[in-house]
Amino acid sequence: MSVATIEPLRQRNVGEIAVNLPGATGVFRRFGIDFCCHGAAPLDQAAKAAGIDVEILEEALEALDTTRSPEPAQDVGAIIDHIVSRFHEVHRRQLPELIALSRKVEQVHAGKTGVPAGLADLMQHALGELEVHMRKEELILFPAMRREGASLLDGPITQMRDEHVEHGEFIERVTQMTNDFTPPEGACGTWRALYTGAAQFKDDLIEHIHTENNILFPRFEAAAAG
């Protein structure tokens, strides 16, 4: 009688782990593992890319409470509604406020050590790119997904995944420019508010991309493959 084998954790894709192991996303954030834009990478490769010993990462994941069940699968419409209300609408409020805060910090503290010079312009550019991306999803991709029997969406999904990689690169630049969202000693309230808000935006965008790349998109890629 054959015995089913369990794939070693280090060989499983980080996106799959993030979806199916409650608490895994928190571990990945702590260790700097990219589970959204590069969710197809096996855990051992992701650990290597982040400069982390895969055994340490495995121990942290294995220490999670595995008695908790993953969130129940939702229908496509509910997932899309959640993405639009929780992420799209929130990003549209977040970025303009962050741009205003950044411009104030850059103007008032120009020349001071640690000032994130150019951050406002970077965010302004990202706002335009992100708005175009979200509109393509809301007007084209999501309506196609809502239609019964939707399939053959590999092309637009691939484009969205590619743009997600660009969004991830933007987040990395913001993280570097803000010294990992750490204001200098004695920073004013506006400066601290900017970094707190930027850190929240990063977390929200990572969760946004994870929800699409690892939960929503695979449903249609699998349908197309079938």
Side-chain angles (χ1 to χ4, degrees), residues 3-4 21-22 32 38 51 54 64 68 94 127 147 175 182 184 193 203 205 209 213:
V3 178
L21 180 59
H38 296 95
V54 69
L64 295 172
R68 292 171 52 201
Q94 288 173 316
L127 174 61
R147 288 196 286 271
T175 302
T182 305
D203 287 345
L205 186 57
I209 295 171
N213 278 6

Side-chain angles (χ1 to χ4, degrees), residues 154-165:
D154 294 58
I157 286 175
T158 296
Q159 181 181 357
M160 295 300 100
R161 286 188 182 276
D162 289 344
E163 292 178 8
H164 286 167
V165 172

Side-chain angles (χ1 to χ4, degrees), residues 44-152:
D44 56 356
Q45 291 183 16
K48 183 178 180 180
I52 303 295
D53 186 332
V54 69
E55 292 186 1
I56 295 176
L57 190 54
E58 283 181 317
E59 289 176 1
L61 292 169
E62 290 168 353
L64 295 172
D65 181 5
T66 56
T67 62
R68 292 171 52 201
S69 299
E71 291 295 320
Q74 296 177 304
D75 64 40
V76 167
I79 296 173
I80 291 173
D81 290 342
H82 173 71
I83 289 170
V84 173
S85 63
R86 173 61 184 85
F87 300 118
H88 288 198
E89 294 178 6
V90 171
H91 295 333
R92 287 177 172 127
R93 294 193 299 269
Q94 288 173 316
L95 275 175
E97 177 64 18
L98 292 173
I99 291 166
L101 291 173
S102 184
R103 292 207 185 283
K104 183 175 181 179
V105 169
E106 291 181 59
Q107 291 169 2
V108 173
H109 301 286
K112 291 185 179 179
T113 301
V115 171
L119 180 60
D121 287 343
L122 177 63
M123 287 186 169
Q124 186 71 58
H125 177 75
L127 174 61
E129 295 290 325
L130 189 58
E131 179 61 31
V132 170
H133 174 87
M134 294 189 297
R135 293 293 286 175
K136 283 189 288 189
E137 290 183 334
E138 294 168 1
L139 297 177
I140 301 171
L141 182 59
F142 290 169
M145 289 178 167
R146 289 181 188 274
R147 288 196 286 271
E148 185 176 354
S151 62
L152 301 177

Side-chain angles (χ1 to χ4, degrees), residues 7-21:
E7 186 178 22
L9 197 59
R10 67 180 58 191
Q11 294 179 11
R12 293 170 57 188
N13 294 348
V14 292
E16 175 202 346
I17 296 171
V19 171
N20 293 299
L21 180 59

